[in-house]
Amino acid sequence: MPKSDIEIAREAKMQPIKEILDKINVPDEPEAFSPMGRHIAKINLEYLDKLKSNRDGKLILVTAITPTPAGEGKTTTSVGLNDGLNKIGKKSIVCLREPSLGPSFGMKGGAAGGGYAQVVPMEQINLHFTGDFHAITSAHNLLSALIDNHIYWGNKLNIDVRRVTWKRVMDMNDRALRAININLGGVANGFPREDGFDITVASEIMAIFCLANDLEDLENRIGNITIGYTRERKPIFAKDLNAQGAMTVLLKDAIRPNVTQTLENNPAIIHGGPFANIAHGCNSVIATKAGLKLADYVVTEAGFGADLGAEKFLDIKCRKSGLKPSCVVIVATIRALKMHGGLSKDELKNENVDALKKGLVNLERHVENVKKFGLPVAVAVNHFIADTENEVNELLASCKKMGVEAKLCTHWANGGEGTKELASHVVELIDKGEANFKFLYEDKTPLFKKVETVAKEIYRASEVTADTKIRDQLKSFEEQGYGNLPICVAKTQYSFSTDPNLKGAPSGHVLPIREVRLSSGAEFIVVICGAIMTMPGLPRVPAADAIKLNDKGQIEGLF
């Protein structure tokens, strides 16, 4: 039996964090970084300010085909590609998102890579890490407490308790908290009203945290959060409650990027972590920009398939930050493509070239979509043991017909050695200088038209449906001055459509808008479609069932 991810991680020969920082020329000075134990550090913002005149490295975005239960390995490939770039003599950093406790104890598991392409210390990264998510949760819920406290003590702002839009959050899957009643129990406990919880990774504070350029920008954005409305529909902002100062205090240490290492002792920056199906799916702008000042190449990932994570990375994160990728790598597995071709998970161990051919339409759709942004594309074939030579050859040949080069990657088993060919190809693509990055839509495009553009160009929907209330809300946002904001679509990650059972590359489907939310601090509009929930639930058998401490005090079951 092959070793589990956690067994491999435990055997890692980690270097002291000072030695990792030496590789990217971060000086051993208190002003430059703060150690968080032997193997983790936070880079100080004051030091990053000194690097502003440094030349930027090249940005490589790693995304994937539409996910399936068979697995794609986007984080694993990001880590493997970073190790591969360092293997061929390039100075490279991988910039990842921090894992959420929701999937760690739910269905998906952790997000520190896998096999011999991991970031470590794996247990700390997948659990509490440096406490950033706790700080974000606390800052978010401080605002919730201030809202209800203001109403209790006379409500000078005339907040309409029926129109409070700010929910509470926690970093755990808990469907029971999606819709709740609060302030029950009489006069002493406040005015009863409806409320609910989202998961922390869907919080607007998380989005602001990941899009802010510095502490001042963070505080200004927090102040601009719309928390609700008066009876006259006048918006109330967090700054009206004087909340932004205290909330920023809770985030002042969290905002500093975290540095760890890969199994091959290459630097990794792990910071921020919104989901891509219900949020914008990218690590922090501060972390990505730090990486670009510290290395010649930065490998970063965007969550789930390219229709979600990559589109949001390009249309939201890049629009707000000025970042421009030089290349996009799309991760695919033969197993997942066979599922898109109609096979069940139980049938994947058997060779089936016909199913692979049918499923290739999913990869082809993602390649076409990424090219619409003017970016060169490479395909990383994340190799599994059961993949046959016939299947591999069919996939590589089909990619050539699509006009892209695919490279077989064995990083799960071989680490950076297994991605050297991909790394060399990515460097060649970047050196050609063919990237001509452009957004999918312009700022001035009306909000509903922006949704239609993403739906038709990326999801290949035939139309977008929304009732009068939704359309009126979008018009109201435009009248309030938010018409220039990008849109962030929340929908299932399992299909181009809103039906998670529609595999492959469906087209002609309808995108139904269920709800729209204004994120005036993060500066985008959340468009919730289909049955997607911003507070996930646990599966019938959650991962938590198998997680425990053994008799040596070690964690078992974490993956």
Side-chain angles (χ1 to χ4, degrees), residues 465-475:
T465 59
D467 62 26
T468 303
K469 180 183 175 183
I470 298 292
R471 292 173 185 264
D472 287 346
Q473 267 188 296
L474 291 173
K475 287 177 183 174

Side-chain angles (χ1 to χ4, degrees), residues 52 79 92 177 249 257 283 290 322 531:
K52 284 184 177 176
V79 175
S92 177
L177 295 177
V249 166
N283 73 323

Side-chain angles (χ1 to χ4, degrees), residues 190-231:
F191 293 86
R193 67 178 183 88
E194 292 183 1
D195 199 1
F197 275 77
D198 290 330
I199 192 167
T200 296
V201 290
S203 164
E204 187 176 353
I205 301 299
M206 176 67 81
I208 290 171
F209 181 92
C210 288
L211 290 171
N213 288 300
D214 49 41
L215 273 172
E216 183 181 1
D217 187 27
L218 178 77
E219 185 169 351
N220 288 335
R221 285 171 175 268
I222 289 173
N224 290 332
I225 291 170
T226 304
I227 62 95
Y229 298 86
T230 67
R231 284 178 176 269

